[in-house]
Structures are given as C-alpha cells and as structure tokens.
Amino acid sequence: MAIFVIILCGLICAISIISGLDDIASKYQTSELVPDAFPSPPENPIEVTYTSGAEVNFGNELTPTAVKDVPDVNWNANSEDFHTLIFVDLDAPSRKDPTFREVIHWMVVNIPGANVDEGETIIEFIGSGPSKGTDLHRYAFFVFKQPSGKLDFSAEDKVDKRNIKKRISFSTIKFAEKYSLELLGGNFYQAQYDDYVPILHAQFHSE
C-alpha cells in the first residue's frame, strides 16, 4: 500500500509539473512572445525579483517605478556551466509599431552557474521606460547556456548605461546565433508609462 501511495504521489507531481509547463508555454503564445521573440517558448522558468518586492510572473503588469533597479535573477543551473542573461523590450516605440524592436536593457555574460553578480556586465541595466501613450510594452528575460564555456565578447557588443542609440534594433536571436548560445529559460512582464519614465529618459544620450 505504501509503495502504491508513493507511485501515485509521483504521478500526480509529474502531471502537475507538465501542466505547469504547458500553462507557461501558453502564456508565451498568448502574449505573442512566440513568435515575436523566439519561434518556440523557453522550456524553463527563471525567477526575477526586484528590491521593490515586485516579481516577474509570465506577463503580469508591473510599473516602471517598481522595476527601476537591478533585479535578482535565479534559475536552475549547473555550477560548472557559464551563462548569458539578456533583458529586452520587444515593443519600442509601441507594440503596434515596434520599429525599434528589440531594445536591449541589460546583458550579463560569462555567468558561472546562476551567480549573476559574478558575471561580466557588457550592457548596463536600465529599467522600463515606455513613452506616454504607447500602452503596454513586453519586457522579457532570457537565459542562455554558453556551450563553449567562458567567451570573449567583442567590443561592439558593449554599451554604456546612457547610450540609447546603440540599444535599439537589437536581436536576441542573432546574438545567440553569433555566439552559439543555447536558450535555457525565460520570464516576462508588461509595463506602461508612469511618473518614473521621464527621470529614466533624462539619463540618456544619443551619441
């Protein structure tokens, strides 16, 4: 009887996990991150939490004020692998007119395991800054495995915090192809204009 209960619990847990993954995949498709970001959804979730207490949860709406600081990002990782973390806005200047898709908001490379603080930041973090009247933007986090281990990234891939011109028209897919990165996981939220946005925009230059 005890063995039967253990087996039954195992089956229930397996079904629950599969159901949860299917639900996540459907959120990627409903939000149209598939195919706007990737042809298929990342298989694994990643956890993203801000100092404000805001948590990213597959399409939930967060305010620019709540996500203005660098978040904590975690995922199940092999400690011996190196990873790349990418954070992008898919809807600039708006979802109806994504002329600048994608805008790169943050990139950390050569992350040992899931220790983001020990990685190399080549594109400095900026929070969400959707302009007034552009409605909700989709902001996505992606984690990639670096199959070849630690990599040397070119100088042209590096962007300082205030340079907005070099952030637009980024392509996560092309970048992943360039360095043969393997997509491991992701998460995303939505945000629209609030009073923090002008403060963020005032930090940029276009050179």
Side-chain angles (χ1 to χ4, degrees):
M1 181 67 177
I3 294 175
F4 173 78
V5 171
I6 292 172
I7 294 173
L8 181 60
C9 288
L11 288 172
I12 292 173
C13 289
I15 292 171
S16 177
I17 291 171
I18 293 171
S19 176
L21 293 175
D22 286 344
D23 182 53
I24 291 172
S26 70
K27 289 180 179 179
Y28 277 105
Q29 293 164 344
T30 300
S31 68
E32 296 183 329
L33 260 77
V34 174
D36 287 350
F38 281 93
S40 58
E43 293 184 359
N44 303 297
I46 63 176
E47 298 177 356
V48 184
T49 306
Y50 289 86
T51 55
S52 65
E55 296 182 359
V56 177
N57 187 19
F58 299 100
N60 60 323
E61 183 176 349
L62 301 173
T63 67
T65 299
V67 297
K68 65 184 180 65
D69 299 315
V70 179
D72 290 325
V73 184
N74 293 286
W75 63 94
N76 290 327
N78 185 330
S79 61
E80 297 181 356
D81 292 335
F82 287 90
H83 300 90
T84 290
L85 170 65
I86 292 176
F87 171 44
V88 295
D89 175 2
L90 292 162
D91 300 317
S94 70
R95 188 166 178 178
K96 292 181 179 179
D97 179 30
T99 309
F100 299 140
R101 177 180 296 163
E102 305 160 15
V103 176
I104 179 72
H105 278 243
W106 190 28
M107 187 189 299
V108 186
V109 301
N110 292 326
I111 301 168
N115 300 310
V116 178
D117 290 344
E118 297 178 21
E120 176 189 357
T121 299
I122 63 173
I123 297 181
E124 297 181 74
F125 175 87
I126 58 172
S128 298
S131 297
K132 185 179 290 187
T134 61
D135 298 321
L136 288 168
H137 290 217
R138 296 165 298 168
Y139 293 88
F141 292 85
F142 299 109
V143 169
F144 299 83
K145 177 183 175 182
Q146 300 174 189
S148 301
K150 199 168 186 178
L151 297 172
D152 289 326
F153 290 84
S154 65
E156 67 182 13
D157 293 321
K158 300 180 181 182
V159 179
D160 71 62
K161 186 171 185 176
R162 297 177 61 241
N163 192 323
I164 191 63
K165 185 176 181 180
K166 291 187 69 175
R167 291 177 180 268
I168 64 175
S169 300
F170 178 81
S171 171
T172 302
I173 290 178
K174 289 181 180 178
F175 186 87
E177 291 174 347
K178 178 180 179 180
Y179 290 103
S180 300
L181 306 177
E182 297 178 359
L183 181 61
L184 288 184
N187 207 331
F188 67 100
Y189 67 91
Q190 301 181 84
Q192 57 186 321
Y193 179 91
D194 77 356
D195 291 341
Y196 173 71
V197 174
I199 298 173
L200 176 64
H201 286 186
Q203 302 175 39
F204 299 146
H205 62 73
S206 59
E207 292 78 11

